[in-house]
Amino acid sequence: MVVTAENIRDKLLKELEAVHVDIEDTSPNRCAASFKALIVSSHFEGKPLLQRHRLVNGLLAEELKEIHAFEQKTLTPEQWEKQKAQ
């Protein structure tokens, strides 16, 4: 399976009903497939950071088998709006 930023983005948008997903392919800077993700979803509300990351990792379990590094930032829509305002 070839994992692309678009594959990851589409899956997260669908599965998390995300309002915003930004996936950056950072592979050219590394020795293997790596991605940096910003994910905004109401599914993260009331969940601590570790639960949010576990949720994302669970959804991407098959893709993560092929990825060397996956950095993620998970925000609720409210947190996203506050961050954009800064």
Side-chain angles (χ1 to χ4, degrees), residues 42-73:
S42 59
H43 285 265
F44 299 142
E45 291 179 16
K47 290 181 174 62
L49 184 63
L50 185 57
Q51 281 185 329
R52 294 175 184 194
H53 285 200
R54 285 181 176 160
L55 177 60
V56 172
N57 291 347
L59 291 172
L60 298 177
E62 288 302 310
E63 290 82 356
L64 290 174
K65 291 176 184 177
E66 306 297 324
I67 297 174
H68 176 72
F70 185 72
E71 178 184 340
Q72 58 181 294
K73 184 171 188 175

Side-chain angles (χ1 to χ4, degrees), residues 4-5 14 17 21 29 39 57 59 61 66-67 72 74 83:
T4 66
K14 180 183 175 190
E17 301 170 347
V21 176
N29 301 329
I39 309 154
N57 291 347
L59 291 172
E66 306 297 324
I67 297 174
Q72 58 181 294
T74 52
Q83 183 172 312

Side-chain angles (χ1 to χ4, degrees), residues 16-29:
L16 290 175
E17 301 170 347
V19 296
H20 180 84
V21 176
D22 183 33
I23 307 292
E24 179 185 351
D25 184 347
T26 57
S27 300
N29 301 329

